Amino acid sequence: MFNRPGNRVNQQLSLLSNRLSEENPALEGVVDSFRALDRLGYSAGLMNPEEESYAFTISWWPMIAVLGTFSAGKSTFINEYIGATVQRSGSQAVDDRFTVISYGASEKVKELPGLALDGDPRFPFYRVSNEIERLSDGAGRTVDHFLAMKTVKSERLRGRILIDSPGFDADEQRATILQLTDHIIDLSDLVLVFFDARHPEPGAMRDTLEHLVNRVAARNDFTKLVFVLNQIDTTWREDNLEEVVSAWQRAVVRQGNATGRFYCLYNTGAAVEIGDEKVRARYEYKAARDREEIHAKIAEISSSRSYRIVGAMQAIAESMEMDAAPALKAALGRWRRWVVRADAAMMVVVLALVLYAAQAMADGFGPLLEAIQAHPVTSGLAVVVLLAVLLGIHFLNRRWAARRIARSLPDETASGNWRAAFLKNTVFWRSILRKSPAGLGRSALRQLHALRDQVEAYVQRLNNQFMDERAVPKSADAGTQPTRVPEPDAAGERREEAAPATGQETRG
């Protein structure tokens, strides 16, 4: 009864498995391995079977966050990438919530409230309502004020999640939005930060740059940041795109980013008319190549996330064997020594008191003692009372020592709650002489070894999947023949590039 998940956990894992079968079949069987890992965690007391699973501690879908200011082209880029009008776009601030966009079975865009994210552990905002309530200082704002979810049937969303931000200009709820932005940056695999080339002076965005770059610098994870300078077509008259990009690069470097690489984009359907043929060819080439590189980055994180999920399962299994089991065994040894010493000390005191009382009674109540000794039942009752007192003292010592030692153990680790697992080993019906932690004996260790061996099989399956995909000359994220970007020659005319050799990886 202690190693079975509750109905709610079982239901969520089934939903996860069903969704993986649609979006990433290579990972579908991994859910069953996490179930086996859960059973070991429940048996050891490391996890709560009613509401916890190791599968809930990781994000199963790669996350791409699209951040920036209002009217920087975030929604336009998302619509263009997905191939459907999912987000409203325009010159006005139209979205004031974070929108999580994922794959759905319906051809039409379906919009769901933020509660759909808050109550589903498959998504990265599971139980985020508690954090929102804390950040909004009891202002009455719920999760629906800050989060929304949309689903659409797009192959480019299969196996990944996009997050469109409301922009950093939202004055009324700016503090909460920035805090949620930090949360999103921490969870995301790729962060696209959009800036508007129509406002070439980066000084006005210094606070945004400082917040974003410093947040990532603290985690030493600059590789996930991709800066995008959008609407570069507006700079064509001055023909100073390099100068505009350099100004933004210097602003980013001043905030601590070592690279400051900017990609340049614009929407050809809504672009201003570029009157100079050579400038137009150069701008089109630059935007097309940068857009292709961004799409390739998005495609690459899907494979890396799949390997990370399998690696997480291996890391949890290793942590249970290499970290949790030895730590709990050591804690139980300390607990055992404390209890034995406390029992010995208390028994000496009790026996001394008994002997003192017996001597006193012998001196003044000799006939009474003779009468007690003449009745075996009375003598036996006295012995039972004495043993009950000693046993009660023993369990008091067990409880006192367990609480003291439990305070030194962490309640959040990769393998679960060590404190709860330790306390499970100190319950009154468990013998103090048992040295192996509950649920982590030889049989459990053999199961952990078997689960770690399964990781190799999953890695081979992923290798086969991605190697097979790369062997076919198709786009990684759209499933179509990739378009080659024409490169302008010195005269500004377009020149077709040679097609890649068969078997080489192409850009997505």
Side-chain angles (χ1 to χ4, degrees):
M1 63 178 293
F2 295 104
N3 58 351
R4 293 182 179 179
N7 292 334
R8 184 170 173 277
V9 172
N10 204 27
Q11 181 182 17
Q12 297 293 359
L13 290 175
S14 297
L15 291 173
L16 174 61
S17 181
N18 292 339
R19 180 150 184 168
L20 284 173
S21 66
E22 296 178 1
E23 297 194 44
N24 197 347
L27 285 177
E28 182 182 4
V30 180
V31 177
D32 292 331
S33 297
F34 271 95
R35 288 181 186 272
L37 204 58
D38 286 343
R39 286 192 290 270
L40 294 174
Y42 300 150
S43 180
L46 293 165
M47 300 283 283
N48 182 350
E50 293 301 322
E51 53 185 49
E52 292 181 319
S53 168
Y54 288 116
F56 299 163
T57 63
I58 57 178
S59 179
W60 287 75
W61 281 266
M63 282 179 50
I64 303 97
V66 184
L67 309 178
T69 57
F70 285 125
S71 193
K74 304 185 303 296
S75 298
T76 300
F77 172 83
I78 289 175
N79 292 338
E80 182 183 57
Y81 175 77
I82 294 174
T85 304
V86 178
Q87 293 292 85
R88 293 175 296 171
S89 60
S91 59
Q92 301 298 320
V94 294
D95 289 309
D96 58 355
R97 295 181 295 178
F98 290 95
T99 304
V100 178
I101 308 170
S102 66
Y103 180 85
S106 174
E107 299 286 350
K108 296 182 179 180
V109 177
K110 300 291 186 181
E111 184 168 357
L112 303 172
L115 185 63
L117 297 165
D118 184 63
D120 194 334
R122 295 174 297 172
F123 295 100
F125 293 96
Y126 182 49
R127 294 179 178 174
V128 74
S129 57
N130 297 332
E131 183 69 7
I132 287 177
E133 184 177 355
R134 184 185 67 82
L135 294 175
S136 58
D137 296 325
R141 299 190 182 101
T142 64
V143 65
D144 292 336
H145 283 84
F146 297 98
L147 292 175
M149 180 180 178
K150 292 183 179 179
T151 63
V152 62
K153 191 175 183 180
S154 169
E155 288 303 311
R156 282 185 165 174
L157 287 175
R158 191 186 288 273
R160 58 180 67 106
I161 293 173
L162 289 178
I163 301 179
D164 189 12
S165 72
F168 302 108
D169 310 60
D171 296 331
E172 181 181 356
Q173 50 195 28
R174 178 180 174 84
T176 305
I177 285 178
L178 287 178
Q179 291 289 341
L180 287 174
T181 300
D182 291 343
H183 180 67
I184 290 172
I185 290 175
D186 290 341
L187 294 175
S188 295
D189 299 275
L190 188 67
V191 181
L192 306 180
V193 186
F194 276 70
F195 297 105
D196 190 347
R198 294 173 299 178
H199 307 287
E201 174 51 52
M205 291 302 301
R206 187 170 290 112
D207 59 339
T208 298
L209 280 171
E210 182 177 359
H211 185 87
L212 287 174
V213 175
N214 288 348
R215 179 65 180 177
V216 178
R219 302 176 72 254
N220 195 25
D221 202 3
F222 281 120
T223 57
K224 70 163 58 176
L225 268 186
V226 173
F227 295 105
V228 180
L229 194 58
N230 202 18
Q231 298 166 338
I232 61 169
D233 54 301
T234 59
T235 69
W236 81 269
R237 292 187 182 278
E238 293 77 13
D239 195 14
N240 65 340
L241 179 58
E242 291 77 11
E243 295 178 12
V244 173
V245 172
S246 296
W248 283 100
Q249 285 177 328
R250 289 193 297 271
V252 171
V253 170
R254 280 196 296 269
Q255 297 302 330
N257 192 315
T259 59
R261 167 73 187 277
F262 270 83
Y263 293 89
C264 297
L265 300 179
Y266 71 95
N267 182 3
T268 55
V272 299
E273 183 179 354
I274 302 178
D276 189 304
E277 182 79 16
K278 295 180 181 179
V279 174
R280 183 173 69 251
R282 189 168 66 253
Y283 273 46
E284 287 178 352
Y285 171 73
K286 172 65 174 172
R289 285 297 294 266
D290 284 5
R291 181 177 288 105
E292 185 181 1
E293 287 192 27
I294 293 173
H295 289 187
K297 284 181 175 290
I298 294 174
E300 288 168 3
I301 66 171
S302 295
S303 58
S304 61
R305 172 53 71 94
S306 296
Y307 285 104
R308 262 183 280 173
I309 288 173
V310 174
M313 185 181 72
Q314 182 178 25
I316 294 170
E318 289 179 349
S319 179
M320 291 175 70
E321 179 182 0
M322 306 297 185
D323 300 327
L328 291 173
K329 189 173 182 179
L332 287 173
R334 289 172 54 202
W335 173 68
R336 192 180 303 110
R337 290 191 297 271
W338 283 25
V339 173
V340 169
R341 292 169 184 170
D343 283 352
M346 294 301 293
M347 285 181 182
V348 168
V349 172
V350 170
L351 290 175
L353 292 175
V354 169
L355 291 175
Y356 177 80
Q359 184 63 40
M361 293 181 67
D363 293 340
F365 304 96
L368 179 60
L369 286 176
E370 292 178 0
I372 292 176
Q373 292 174 359
H375 294 80
V377 175
T378 306
S379 301
L381 183 61
V383 172
V384 168
V385 171
L386 178 60
L387 291 176
V389 170
L390 294 176
L391 193 61
I393 292 173
H394 166 72
F395 282 111
L396 286 175
N397 289 335
R398 284 172 58 117
R399 187 178 181 185
W400 168 81
R403 289 184 173 181
R404 290 288 301 271
I405 294 175
R407 286 199 290 264
S408 66
L409 296 175
D411 55 4
E412 291 184 8
T413 70
S415 52
N417 190 335
W418 292 6
R419 186 179 302 169
F422 170 75
L423 291 175
K424 179 177 181 176
N425 283 272
T426 63
V427 291
F428 71 91
W429 63 81
R430 184 174 170 85
S431 172
I432 194 174
L433 300 178
R434 299 187 64 174
K435 296 183 178 180
S436 295
L440 291 175
R442 293 181 179 179
S443 175
L445 294 181
R446 284 195 296 269
Q447 294 179 60
L448 288 174
H449 291 163
L451 286 171
R452 290 166 60 184
D453 290 341
Q454 288 181 16
V455 171
E456 295 183 4
Y458 289 127
V459 169
Q460 292 176 13
R461 187 194 303 178
L462 291 172
N463 287 344
N464 293 337
Q465 181 192 45
F466 294 119
M467 288 172 65
D468 290 345
E469 286 183 355
R470 290 168 180 168
V472 180
K474 291 183 178 181
S475 174
D477 57 357
T480 58
Q481 184 70 25
T483 57
R484 302 307 299 166
V485 180
E487 183 176 2
D489 57 17
E493 299 296 330
R494 296 182 179 182
R495 174 170 53 83
E496 294 295 328
E497 293 182 354
T502 303
Q504 291 181 342
E505 183 180 359
T506 60
R507 298 174 186 265

